[in-house]
Every structure is written in C-alpha cells, then in structure tokens.
Short mmCIF file of all heavy atoms in Angstrom, two decimals:
data_model
loop_
_atom_site.label_atom_id
_atom_site.label_comp_id
_atom_site.label_asym_id
_atom_site.label_seq_id
_atom_site.Cartn_x
_atom_site.Cartn_y
_atom_site.Cartn_z
N SER A 1 17.98 87.22 3.50
CA SER A 1 18.20 87.12 5.02
C SER A 1 18.60 88.41 5.56
O SER A 1 18.31 88.88 6.69
CB SER A 1 19.28 86.12 5.40
OG SER A 1 18.77 84.79 5.05
N MET A 2 19.40 89.27 4.83
CA MET A 2 19.77 90.58 5.27
C MET A 2 18.62 91.50 5.46
O MET A 2 18.54 92.22 6.46
CB MET A 2 20.79 91.18 4.18
CG MET A 2 21.47 92.33 4.68
SD MET A 2 22.60 93.08 3.38
CE MET A 2 23.67 91.75 3.21
N TRP A 3 17.59 91.42 4.48
CA TRP A 3 16.43 92.27 4.66
C TRP A 3 15.74 91.94 5.90
O TRP A 3 15.38 92.67 6.78
CB TRP A 3 15.56 92.06 3.42
CG TRP A 3 14.24 92.76 3.59
CD1 TRP A 3 13.04 92.24 4.12
CD2 TRP A 3 13.95 94.25 3.23
NE1 TRP A 3 12.06 93.22 4.08
CE2 TRP A 3 12.62 94.45 3.58
CE3 TRP A 3 14.64 95.18 2.64
CZ2 TRP A 3 11.93 95.57 3.37
CZ3 TRP A 3 14.08 96.52 2.55
CH2 TRP A 3 12.72 96.67 2.83
N LEU A 4 15.50 90.57 6.13
CA LEU A 4 14.62 90.19 7.30
C LEU A 4 15.40 90.35 8.63
O LEU A 4 14.80 90.60 9.66
CB LEU A 4 14.28 88.70 7.13
CG LEU A 4 13.29 88.44 5.87
CD1 LEU A 4 13.18 86.97 5.63
CD2 LEU A 4 12.04 88.97 6.12
N LEU A 5 16.71 90.27 8.55
CA LEU A 5 17.53 90.66 9.74
C LEU A 5 17.39 92.09 10.24
O LEU A 5 17.09 92.34 11.40
CB LEU A 5 18.98 90.38 9.48
CG LEU A 5 19.95 90.86 10.53
CD1 LEU A 5 19.98 89.81 11.69
CD2 LEU A 5 21.43 90.98 10.02
N ASN A 6 17.35 92.99 9.17
CA ASN A 6 17.06 94.46 9.49
C ASN A 6 15.68 94.67 10.06
O ASN A 6 15.53 95.42 11.02
CB ASN A 6 17.38 95.25 8.28
CG ASN A 6 18.80 95.54 8.04
OD1 ASN A 6 19.30 96.64 8.33
ND2 ASN A 6 19.50 94.53 7.40
N ILE A 7 14.73 93.86 9.49
CA ILE A 7 13.30 94.06 9.96
C ILE A 7 13.33 93.55 11.44
O ILE A 7 12.62 94.11 12.35
CB ILE A 7 12.33 93.22 9.13
CG1 ILE A 7 12.26 93.88 7.64
CG2 ILE A 7 10.91 93.29 9.70
CD1 ILE A 7 11.87 95.30 7.69
N ALA A 8 13.95 92.40 11.73
CA ALA A 8 13.96 91.83 13.07
C ALA A 8 14.48 92.77 14.06
O ALA A 8 13.95 92.98 15.17
CB ALA A 8 14.57 90.49 12.99
N TYR A 9 15.62 93.40 13.68
CA TYR A 9 16.22 94.45 14.64
C TYR A 9 15.24 95.66 14.87
O TYR A 9 15.07 96.09 15.96
CB TYR A 9 17.47 94.90 14.09
CG TYR A 9 18.72 94.10 14.51
CD1 TYR A 9 19.43 93.31 13.58
CD2 TYR A 9 19.22 94.17 15.83
CE1 TYR A 9 20.56 92.62 13.96
CE2 TYR A 9 20.38 93.45 16.20
CZ TYR A 9 20.95 92.62 15.37
OH TYR A 9 22.10 91.89 15.75
N MET A 10 14.51 95.95 13.79
CA MET A 10 13.58 97.06 13.93
C MET A 10 12.52 96.74 14.87
O MET A 10 11.96 97.54 15.61
CB MET A 10 13.04 97.40 12.57
CG MET A 10 12.35 98.80 12.51
SD MET A 10 11.80 99.16 10.78
CE MET A 10 13.28 99.49 9.89
N THR A 11 11.89 95.42 14.91
CA THR A 11 10.93 95.07 15.77
C THR A 11 11.32 95.21 17.23
O THR A 11 10.55 95.24 18.21
CB THR A 11 10.41 93.55 15.48
OG1 THR A 11 11.46 92.75 15.91
CG2 THR A 11 10.00 93.48 14.06
N LEU A 12 12.68 95.14 17.53
CA LEU A 12 13.23 95.21 18.84
C LEU A 12 13.54 96.68 19.21
O LEU A 12 13.97 96.91 20.29
CB LEU A 12 14.47 94.38 18.98
CG LEU A 12 14.30 92.86 18.75
CD1 LEU A 12 15.60 92.14 18.91
CD2 LEU A 12 13.28 92.27 19.68
N GLY A 13 13.33 97.61 18.30
CA GLY A 13 13.73 99.06 18.46
C GLY A 13 15.20 99.24 18.48
O GLY A 13 15.62 100.22 19.00
N GLU A 14 15.95 98.31 17.72
CA GLU A 14 17.33 98.46 17.76
C GLU A 14 17.89 98.73 16.35
O GLU A 14 19.11 98.58 16.07
CB GLU A 14 17.93 97.07 18.20
CG GLU A 14 17.50 96.81 19.62
CD GLU A 14 18.08 95.41 20.18
OE1 GLU A 14 18.51 94.72 19.33
OE2 GLU A 14 17.92 95.17 21.34
N TYR A 15 17.04 99.11 15.40
CA TYR A 15 17.45 99.52 14.05
C TYR A 15 17.62 101.05 13.99
O TYR A 15 16.80 101.78 14.58
CB TYR A 15 16.42 99.17 12.99
CG TYR A 15 16.76 99.74 11.62
CD1 TYR A 15 17.53 98.91 10.70
CD2 TYR A 15 16.34 100.94 11.23
CE1 TYR A 15 17.81 99.46 9.47
CE2 TYR A 15 16.67 101.51 9.98
CZ TYR A 15 17.50 100.71 9.10
OH TYR A 15 17.79 101.21 7.81
N PRO A 16 18.72 101.67 13.56
CA PRO A 16 19.84 100.87 12.81
C PRO A 16 21.02 100.71 13.80
O PRO A 16 21.96 100.05 13.35
CB PRO A 16 20.22 101.91 11.71
CG PRO A 16 19.96 103.24 12.33
CD PRO A 16 18.74 103.06 13.22
N ALA A 17 20.90 101.24 14.99
CA ALA A 17 22.17 101.22 15.88
C ALA A 17 22.75 99.86 16.12
O ALA A 17 24.01 99.85 16.10
CB ALA A 17 21.71 101.96 17.26
N LYS A 18 21.97 98.92 16.32
CA LYS A 18 22.62 97.67 16.69
C LYS A 18 22.68 96.64 15.53
O LYS A 18 23.18 95.42 15.84
CB LYS A 18 21.87 96.92 17.83
CG LYS A 18 22.01 97.79 19.15
CD LYS A 18 21.33 97.10 20.32
CE LYS A 18 21.54 97.82 21.62
NZ LYS A 18 20.95 97.16 22.77
N VAL A 19 22.32 96.99 14.42
CA VAL A 19 22.47 96.08 13.24
C VAL A 19 23.99 96.04 12.89
O VAL A 19 24.57 97.10 12.72
CB VAL A 19 21.65 96.55 12.00
CG1 VAL A 19 21.87 95.56 10.84
CG2 VAL A 19 20.24 96.70 12.31
N PRO A 20 24.58 94.87 12.82
CA PRO A 20 26.02 94.75 12.38
C PRO A 20 26.27 95.53 11.18
O PRO A 20 25.45 95.36 10.14
CB PRO A 20 26.28 93.24 12.29
CG PRO A 20 25.23 92.61 13.22
CD PRO A 20 24.00 93.48 13.10
N GLN A 21 27.30 96.31 11.12
CA GLN A 21 27.50 97.22 9.97
C GLN A 21 27.62 96.59 8.66
O GLN A 21 27.07 97.13 7.68
CB GLN A 21 28.80 98.05 10.26
CG GLN A 21 29.02 99.27 9.31
CD GLN A 21 27.80 100.32 9.49
OE1 GLN A 21 27.48 100.50 10.58
NE2 GLN A 21 27.50 100.96 8.38
N GLN A 22 28.14 95.39 8.66
CA GLN A 22 28.34 94.68 7.37
C GLN A 22 26.98 94.17 6.76
O GLN A 22 26.90 93.84 5.68
CB GLN A 22 29.30 93.51 7.50
CG GLN A 22 28.84 92.34 8.29
CD GLN A 22 29.12 92.51 9.73
OE1 GLN A 22 29.13 93.57 10.29
NE2 GLN A 22 29.45 91.33 10.43
N TRP A 23 25.89 94.20 7.59
CA TRP A 23 24.64 93.75 7.10
C TRP A 23 23.48 94.72 7.21
O TRP A 23 22.31 94.50 7.05
CB TRP A 23 24.15 92.49 8.03
CG TRP A 23 25.21 91.36 7.81
CD1 TRP A 23 25.86 90.92 6.74
CD2 TRP A 23 25.60 90.46 8.92
NE1 TRP A 23 26.62 89.82 7.04
CE2 TRP A 23 26.50 89.51 8.30
CE3 TRP A 23 25.26 90.36 10.28
CZ2 TRP A 23 27.10 88.54 9.06
CZ3 TRP A 23 25.90 89.28 10.99
CH2 TRP A 23 26.80 88.43 10.44
N LEU A 24 23.95 96.01 7.51
CA LEU A 24 22.95 97.01 7.68
C LEU A 24 22.48 97.56 6.29
O LEU A 24 23.22 97.80 5.41
CB LEU A 24 23.61 98.27 8.34
CG LEU A 24 22.80 99.49 8.47
CD1 LEU A 24 21.58 99.37 9.33
CD2 LEU A 24 23.58 100.64 8.98
N ILE A 25 21.18 97.56 6.14
CA ILE A 25 20.58 98.25 4.99
C ILE A 25 20.01 99.61 5.59
O ILE A 25 19.05 99.74 6.29
CB ILE A 25 19.25 97.46 4.56
CG1 ILE A 25 19.77 96.08 4.16
CG2 ILE A 25 18.72 98.09 3.39
CD1 ILE A 25 18.62 95.14 3.68
N PRO A 26 20.76 100.65 5.20
CA PRO A 26 20.50 102.00 5.75
C PRO A 26 19.24 102.67 5.18
O PRO A 26 18.71 102.29 4.13
CB PRO A 26 21.75 102.84 5.37
CG PRO A 26 22.18 102.16 4.09
CD PRO A 26 21.94 100.64 4.25
N ASN A 27 18.76 103.62 5.96
CA ASN A 27 17.60 104.51 5.55
C ASN A 27 16.28 103.80 5.30
O ASN A 27 15.46 104.36 4.64
CB ASN A 27 18.09 105.34 4.21
CG ASN A 27 19.26 106.06 4.52
OD1 ASN A 27 19.56 106.68 5.51
ND2 ASN A 27 20.17 106.06 3.51
N LEU A 28 16.06 102.70 5.88
CA LEU A 28 14.74 102.07 5.81
C LEU A 28 13.74 102.87 6.66
O LEU A 28 12.48 102.67 6.56
CB LEU A 28 14.73 100.63 6.41
CG LEU A 28 15.54 99.54 5.50
CD1 LEU A 28 15.47 98.18 6.12
CD2 LEU A 28 15.05 99.64 4.08
N ASP A 29 14.22 103.73 7.49
CA ASP A 29 13.38 104.63 8.26
C ASP A 29 13.13 105.98 7.65
O ASP A 29 12.70 106.90 8.35
CB ASP A 29 13.94 104.81 9.70
CG ASP A 29 15.36 105.23 9.67
OD1 ASP A 29 16.07 105.29 8.68
OD2 ASP A 29 15.89 105.51 10.87
N LYS A 30 13.40 106.12 6.42
CA LYS A 30 13.44 107.40 5.64
C LYS A 30 12.64 107.24 4.26
O LYS A 30 12.82 106.27 3.75
CB LYS A 30 14.77 108.06 5.52
CG LYS A 30 15.47 108.40 6.69
CD LYS A 30 16.90 109.05 6.48
CE LYS A 30 17.60 109.46 7.76
NZ LYS A 30 17.81 108.31 8.65
N ASP A 31 11.96 108.29 3.82
CA ASP A 31 11.41 108.21 2.47
C ASP A 31 12.40 108.46 1.36
O ASP A 31 12.18 107.80 0.33
CB ASP A 31 10.25 109.30 2.42
CG ASP A 31 9.04 108.92 3.06
OD1 ASP A 31 8.69 107.73 3.10
OD2 ASP A 31 8.32 109.78 3.67
N ASN A 32 13.41 109.20 1.62
CA ASN A 32 14.44 109.48 0.53
C ASN A 32 13.85 110.07 -0.79
O ASN A 32 14.41 109.76 -1.87
CB ASN A 32 15.14 108.16 0.21
CG ASN A 32 15.99 107.78 1.49
OD1 ASN A 32 16.64 108.58 2.21
ND2 ASN A 32 16.00 106.45 1.65
N SER A 33 12.70 110.65 -0.63
CA SER A 33 12.08 111.24 -1.78
C SER A 33 12.09 112.70 -1.87
O SER A 33 11.71 113.43 -2.86
CB SER A 33 10.54 110.78 -1.93
OG SER A 33 9.87 111.37 -0.95
N GLY A 34 12.65 113.39 -0.76
CA GLY A 34 12.66 114.88 -0.78
C GLY A 34 11.37 115.48 -0.39
O GLY A 34 11.23 116.68 -0.42
N TYR A 35 10.39 114.58 -0.01
CA TYR A 35 8.99 115.17 0.31
C TYR A 35 8.44 114.35 1.40
O TYR A 35 8.66 113.19 1.39
CB TYR A 35 8.11 115.20 -0.94
CG TYR A 35 6.76 115.97 -0.74
CD1 TYR A 35 6.76 117.36 -1.00
CD2 TYR A 35 5.68 115.32 -0.30
CE1 TYR A 35 5.57 118.04 -0.83
CE2 TYR A 35 4.52 116.07 -0.11
CZ TYR A 35 4.52 117.38 -0.38
OH TYR A 35 3.36 118.13 -0.11
N SER A 36 7.68 114.95 2.27
CA SER A 36 6.96 114.24 3.28
C SER A 36 5.55 114.68 3.41
O SER A 36 5.19 115.80 2.98
CB SER A 36 7.72 114.47 4.64
OG SER A 36 7.62 115.77 4.99
N VAL A 37 4.67 113.88 4.03
CA VAL A 37 3.30 114.26 4.27
C VAL A 37 3.05 114.09 5.79
O VAL A 37 3.87 113.37 6.46
CB VAL A 37 2.33 113.33 3.51
CG1 VAL A 37 2.47 113.52 2.01
CG2 VAL A 37 2.45 111.90 3.89
N LYS A 38 2.00 114.65 6.31
CA LYS A 38 1.64 114.39 7.73
C LYS A 38 1.21 112.99 7.93
O LYS A 38 0.54 112.38 7.11
CB LYS A 38 0.47 115.36 8.03
CG LYS A 38 0.94 116.88 8.08
CD LYS A 38 -0.34 117.75 8.46
CE LYS A 38 0.14 119.23 8.35
NZ LYS A 38 -1.03 120.17 8.66
N PRO A 39 1.63 112.40 9.11
CA PRO A 39 1.29 111.02 9.29
C PRO A 39 -0.18 110.66 9.47
O PRO A 39 -0.91 111.46 10.12
CB PRO A 39 2.07 110.68 10.54
CG PRO A 39 2.25 111.98 11.28
CD PRO A 39 2.31 113.10 10.11
N PHE A 40 -0.58 109.61 8.76
CA PHE A 40 -1.93 109.08 9.00
C PHE A 40 -1.96 108.25 10.25
O PHE A 40 -0.88 107.81 10.78
CB PHE A 40 -2.36 108.17 7.84
CG PHE A 40 -2.66 108.88 6.56
CD1 PHE A 40 -1.54 109.50 5.93
CD2 PHE A 40 -3.96 108.82 5.97
CE1 PHE A 40 -1.81 110.17 4.62
CE2 PHE A 40 -4.15 109.42 4.81
CZ PHE A 40 -3.11 110.14 4.17
N THR A 41 -3.12 107.87 10.85
CA THR A 41 -3.22 107.15 12.05
C THR A 41 -4.19 106.03 11.86
O THR A 41 -5.28 106.22 11.25
CB THR A 41 -3.71 107.94 13.24
OG1 THR A 41 -2.84 109.08 13.52
CG2 THR A 41 -3.85 107.14 14.53
N ASP A 42 -3.74 104.80 12.14
CA ASP A 42 -4.73 103.58 11.99
C ASP A 42 -5.71 103.62 12.99
O ASP A 42 -5.39 103.33 14.22
CB ASP A 42 -3.88 102.30 11.89
CG ASP A 42 -4.72 101.21 11.71
OD1 ASP A 42 -5.97 101.28 11.48
OD2 ASP A 42 -4.25 99.93 11.75
N ILE A 43 -7.03 103.92 12.72
CA ILE A 43 -7.95 104.08 13.76
C ILE A 43 -8.97 102.83 13.71
O ILE A 43 -9.95 102.83 14.35
CB ILE A 43 -8.75 105.27 13.62
CG1 ILE A 43 -9.48 105.41 12.32
CG2 ILE A 43 -7.87 106.66 13.90
CD1 ILE A 43 -10.59 106.46 12.37
N ALA A 44 -8.59 101.82 12.91
CA ALA A 44 -9.42 100.67 12.83
C ALA A 44 -9.71 100.04 14.12
O ALA A 44 -10.97 99.65 14.39
CB ALA A 44 -8.83 99.58 11.89
N PRO A 45 -8.74 99.97 15.07
CA PRO A 45 -8.95 99.33 16.36
C PRO A 45 -9.99 100.23 17.11
O PRO A 45 -10.86 99.72 17.91
CB PRO A 45 -7.70 99.38 17.10
CG PRO A 45 -6.66 99.38 15.93
CD PRO A 45 -7.38 100.19 14.83
N ASN A 46 -10.00 101.54 16.95
CA ASN A 46 -10.88 102.38 17.70
C ASN A 46 -12.35 102.19 17.23
O ASN A 46 -13.33 102.51 17.97
CB ASN A 46 -10.52 103.84 17.43
CG ASN A 46 -9.19 104.12 17.90
OD1 ASN A 46 -8.47 103.28 18.42
ND2 ASN A 46 -8.72 105.39 17.65
N LEU A 47 -12.55 101.67 16.07
CA LEU A 47 -13.90 101.59 15.49
C LEU A 47 -14.38 100.07 15.48
O LEU A 47 -15.47 99.75 15.00
CB LEU A 47 -13.99 102.13 14.15
CG LEU A 47 -13.75 103.64 13.96
CD1 LEU A 47 -13.39 104.06 12.61
CD2 LEU A 47 -14.99 104.38 14.51
N GLY A 48 -13.49 99.14 15.85
CA GLY A 48 -13.73 97.78 15.81
C GLY A 48 -13.72 97.20 14.47
O GLY A 48 -14.34 96.22 14.23
#
C-alpha cells in the first residue's frame, strides 16, 4: 500500500512534497545510478 500511495500522489503532481513523511518512499524520481541518458519521447500517438 505504501508503494501505491506514493504512485497515487505522483499522479496528482504531489510527490514527494505532500506524501506523509512516515510513508514516503524517496527518490522514485531519480535514477540513483550515477549516470543519465537523454530522454526518449513516446511518439506512438503521433504515428497512430
């Protein structure tokens, strides 16, 4: 339930700020691998 609570807050644009601290799973918005790539874009809608 804690995982799904954090996802639900994220769908509202309220993660991590409004997640109650005792139930916050931090850094779901980070890779934490020390490396990043340029973002891909989902263009399936553009092509039908």
Side-chain angles (χ1 to χ4, degrees):
S1 294
M2 191 182 296
W3 174 269
L4 294 170
L5 174 77
N6 280 260
I7 297 300
Y9 270 108
M10 196 178 286
T11 67
L12 301 178
E14 297 176 352
Y15 173 92
K18 294 190 177 182
V19 183
Q21 192 64 34
Q22 69 270 32
W23 299 323
L24 174 66
I25 302 176
N27 301 320
L28 294 182
D29 54 350
K30 298 179 176 62
D31 280 326
N32 296 319
S33 65
Y35 190 87
S36 63
V37 297
K38 294 180 182 177
F40 289 66
T41 302
D42 183 3
I43 63 165
N46 302 358
L47 294 162

